[in-house]
Amino acid sequence: MAIMEQIKKRYSVRSYQNKPVEKKKLDAVLEAARLAPSAKNFQEWRFVVVQDAETRKKLVPAANNQSFVGQAPVIIACCATNCDHVMRCGQLSYPIDLAIAIDHMTLQAVEEGLGTCWVGSFYEDQVKNILGIPAGIRVVELLALGYPADSVRPKNRNPIETIVSYDKWGF
């Protein structure tokens, strides 16, 4: 599949089939994250893959009671180990690096016939407690992963001319 087709097919899945994700497909999704670029090649990401149904159910209240978090057969807690590095541009590198790795996972998931949803509405302290994540590690996002129970939804995006200008700010 061409990358643009994956991008067009990727959407936030909030309803999953009761079907486990095969190890080969899960490994391919995780490999996509491993291959992502990172600032100074820190590769500061760590991923806690949650497949146990009871643990996923415990994550529901920690994820602001979003029921699909318990329904998805896999939840990946996307964590950062190095949270202090500031790039020359003034931005912390870890949220950007994790976002790149997560996006790699979401696109590989489409290739594997799977769906994903970024989950940013969660209580980090509760997630860390449930998953035994130590102090000093940041949980940046949760990623729901599984077979979608619904179909691709059309994307509602702004026209290109409203988001792009050339050579200088022109909005």
Side-chain angles (χ1 to χ4, degrees):
M1 178 185 305
I3 191 71
M4 188 57 76
E5 288 305 309
Q6 291 168 315
I7 291 167
K8 288 177 181 177
K9 287 184 177 181
R10 196 262 155 215
Y11 70 101
S12 295
V13 176
R14 292 183 178 87
S15 181
Y16 294 89
Q17 295 178 35
N18 185 15
K19 178 180 176 182
V21 174
E22 299 88 342
K23 181 172 179 9
K24 182 177 178 182
K25 291 184 177 191
L26 178 57
D27 288 348
V29 169
L30 296 169
E31 178 69 1
R34 188 184 74 82
L35 294 173
S38 63
K40 295 185 85 173
N41 200 29
F42 279 137
Q43 302 176 55
E44 69 269 56
W45 44 69
R46 299 296 182 270
F47 303 100
V48 179
V49 179
V50 182
Q51 295 175 296
D52 176 71
E54 289 305 312
T55 304
R56 287 185 285 114
K57 284 179 184 164
K58 288 179 186 175
L59 287 172
V60 171
N64 203 27
N65 292 311
Q66 296 176 86
S67 60
F68 71 89
V69 170
Q71 183 190 42
V74 178
I75 298 296
I76 303 172
C78 305
C79 305
T81 59
N82 178 356
C83 302
D84 299 326
H85 181 254
V86 177
M87 296 181 292
R88 191 166 311 230
C89 64
Q91 301 293 326
L92 286 166
S93 62
Y94 81 91
I96 296 167
D97 291 346
L98 264 289
I100 294 167
I102 296 165
D103 205 45
H104 276 47
M105 287 193 287
T106 66
L107 294 176
Q108 184 62 41
V110 171
E111 177 71 17
E112 302 295 334
L114 301 168
T116 58
C117 187
W118 292 58
V119 180
S121 181
F122 64 89
Y123 301 99
E124 183 181 20
D125 58 336
Q126 292 178 29
V127 171
K128 288 172 81 167
N129 184 52
I130 293 164
L131 301 180
I133 298 170
I137 303 298
R138 295 296 314 264
V139 180
V140 178
E141 286 286 323
L142 301 177
L143 184 68
L145 175 72
Y147 287 95
D150 54 8
S151 58
V152 176
R153 289 182 251 142
K155 292 183 184 238
N156 179 15
R157 296 291 184 261
N158 292 329
I160 194 79
E161 60 273 5
T162 66
I163 64 167
V164 176
S165 67
Y166 294 92
D167 299 320
K168 65 179 181 176
W169 186 267
F171 302 101

